[in-house]
Amino acid sequence: MPKETFKYTNGEITVIWKPHVCIHSKKCWTNLRAVFDPFVKPWINMQGATTEQIITQVNQCPSGALSIENNQEHS
Ligand code: SF4
């Protein structure tokens, strides 16, 4: 089965989420619920915080399931 990757962008950055890597530590949605909310769809709301806040939270993901792509790097 192919391993799925989901992408969420706010225009500046793209958050990449790999569900098969996620260990459901709940860190992201405990700390930044305005962005990471597993009870709504899509579960990552890129308008819920600043780019800086999102990057800080993504960097705290213990499994590496969340990562960031800088949109400017591709232009
Ligand atoms: S912090 Fe990372 S490992 Fe934990 S629930 Fe969020 S995505 Fe999954």
Side-chain angles (χ1 to χ4, degrees), residues 30-51:
T30 309
N31 294 336
L32 196 58
R33 190 61 169 264
V35 175
F36 303 97
D37 189 338
F39 300 107
V40 297
K41 267 192 171 212
W43 85 281
I44 297 181
N45 169 22
M46 293 298 286
Q47 313 308 321
T50 64
T51 292

Side-chain angles (χ1 to χ4, degrees), residues 1 9-10 12 15 23-24 27-28 31 33 35 37 48-50 53 57 68 73-74:
M1 219 168 80
T9 187
N10 65 1
E12 262 177 28
V15 170
I23 55 171
H24 306 288
K27 244 179 192 286
C28 54
N31 294 336
R33 190 61 169 264
V35 175
D37 189 338
T50 64
Q53 286 173 306
Q57 191 56 53
I68 297 273
E73 280 170 15
H74 298 281

Side-chain angles (χ1 to χ4, degrees), residues 16 49 56:
I16 298 161
T56 302

Side-chain angles (χ1 to χ4, degrees), residues 17 21-29 36 43 57 60-66:
W17 182 57
V21 179
C22 179
I23 55 171
H24 306 288
S25 68
K26 305 179 183 164
K27 244 179 192 286
C28 54
W29 54 273
F36 303 97
W43 85 281
Q57 191 56 53
Q60 287 169 33
C61 173
S63 67
L66 291 173

